[in-house]
Amino acid sequence: MNQPVELKTIERGHALYDLGATAMFACKADPRFHYCLYVPPCVGQGGKVDLLVAVHGTSRTSFLDFRDGFSAFGRWNDCAILCPVFPVGVRGDDNRSGYKYIAEGDIRYDRVLIAMVAEVAAKYGQDWSRFAMFGFSGGGHFTHRFAILHPERLWAASIGASGSVTLLDPNRDWWVGIRDLKQRFGIDFNAAALRQVPVQMLVGDADLETWEITHKPGGTYWMEGANDAGRTRPERLESLRRSFEAAGVQVRFDLLPGVSHDRMKALGKVQDFLAAVLKSRRER
């Protein structure tokens, strides 16, 4: 029996815009923020997959690089890719970096991301109560801070070339340390939960420019200790590694030879890490 034309149209639209490389969607919880996905074809037949959230850097253009760059990985490893978009200047002030530090005015970017995940999990009938997260540069900022605040939501975290880092220092306030997490975010630091998250940190050994990452008095994110973790991105990520490992977190550290601040040259190592974590996770 032939299907009604209306039903065929609905199914065709679903295949075109909701599966594979999807359209761009506004987040229902806060339509100022958007996302797109790569959804493996098996989901269209009721398949169950895992989720990777891939967070863009300051330019915001990398969300498409990540959606498309992880698409083959997602298809063959049964993993959907969610790429949020946090625009510049959401509050009308041209701020490029608000999302990197989780809170900006009354916006909590961690809550926006959690709402996005809940939205797409419901849409596709998936259990994405835990997911993996990767971010490079500005996305690396977001990823490691999200892991500090919400480790129980992650099955893996890959932190790429973060320009500034939040150390697990109970003697300094956010964003340099974590002393005031409870007052600022209403969240107690859960070291035991973070120890359960496989963590990768990666940066190119030639990623040495400092013009964008050196904090100066009067800057939006200036505070005492802002530059103490190191001068360059490799130095700062090494400080973050030591901080996490001192808290008992196991960290895979990849220093990429001859690589500067190039997100695409990091993706192979990220996929190797995530594939290994998925294999171990599914064998349990």
Side-chain angles (χ1 to χ4, degrees):
M1 181 181 297
N2 291 334
Q3 291 180 317
V5 173
E6 182 179 357
L7 180 57
K8 287 183 177 179
T9 301
I10 291 171
E11 290 179 349
R12 185 176 183 183
H14 178 62
L16 280 173
Y17 301 119
D18 297 327
L19 297 174
T22 74
M24 180 72 69
F25 298 95
C27 177
K28 293 178 180 177
D30 190 335
R32 292 175 296 179
F33 304 105
H34 306 88
Y35 62 84
C36 63
L37 304 103
Y38 172 79
V39 181
C42 67
V43 173
Q45 284 77 51
K48 301 301 181 183
V49 300
D50 285 289
L51 177 68
L52 167 65
V53 175
V55 186
H56 60 69
T58 308
S59 71
R60 274 72 176 172
T61 58
S62 59
F63 77 92
L64 283 176
D65 291 337
F66 293 160
R67 185 196 66 181
D68 298 342
F70 281 108
S71 61
F73 172 87
R75 181 181 180 93
W76 303 115
N77 289 277
D78 291 332
C79 191
I81 316 301
L82 169 64
C83 298
V85 181
F86 303 127
V88 172
V90 173
R91 302 176 69 235
D93 57 2
D94 295 326
N95 185 9
R96 296 188 297 268
S97 299
Y99 79 102
K100 302 175 189 177
Y101 296 88
I102 303 295
E104 181 184 14
D106 62 350
I107 302 169
R108 281 281 300 273
Y109 288 94
D110 57 333
R111 292 175 179 168
V112 173
L113 188 280
I114 289 167
M116 286 182 184
V117 171
E119 180 177 319
V120 294
K123 176 176 180 176
Y124 293 100
Q126 302 290 324
D127 176 9
W128 288 335
S129 52
R130 295 180 70 210
F131 48 90
M133 185 176 291
F134 160 68
F136 188 88
S137 193
H141 279 251
F142 183 87
T143 297
H144 83 274
R145 295 187 178 111
F146 187 94
I148 290 169
L149 290 168
H150 302 287
E152 72 286 348
R153 292 188 177 270
L154 297 177
W155 54 259
S158 178
I159 301 155
S162 181
S164 295
V165 294
T166 295
L167 304 183
L168 304 180
D169 186 343
N171 299 310
R172 296 188 180 191
D173 287 339
W174 188 269
W175 59 267
V176 170
I178 61 171
R179 176 169 54 193
D180 60 342
L181 277 194
K182 183 69 172 180
Q183 299 94 308
R184 189 176 293 266
F185 297 107
I187 296 172
D188 291 313
F189 174 56
N190 189 339
L194 186 59
R195 286 194 287 269
Q196 300 305 307
V197 180
V199 173
Q200 177 188 41
M201 299 181 188
L202 71 167
V203 65
D205 67 0
D207 193 349
L208 302 177
E209 290 192 0
T210 62
W211 66 271
E212 194 173 20
I213 68 171
T214 301
H215 295 275
K216 298 177 182 179
T220 303
Y221 296 101
W222 165 258
M223 60 185 296
E224 290 296 329
N227 299 307
D228 287 359
R231 190 178 65 87
T232 65
R233 286 183 173 90
E235 290 173 2
R236 292 183 178 185
L237 209 63
E238 172 63 20
S239 294
L240 186 66
R241 180 190 68 80
R242 291 197 302 267
S243 179
F244 271 44
E245 289 184 342
V249 180
Q250 291 191 348
V251 177
R252 166 177 164 169
F253 192 91
D254 287 308
L255 188 63
L256 308 178
V259 174
S260 58
H261 201 59
D262 188 334
R263 58 185 178 262
M264 299 308 290
K265 290 183 179 178
L267 295 195
K269 290 290 187 183
V270 176
Q271 292 175 19
D272 289 347
F273 166 72
L274 292 172
V277 176
L278 277 173
K279 183 175 185 294
S280 175
R281 189 165 182 260
R282 291 168 179 172
E283 287 175 347
R284 294 174 192 162

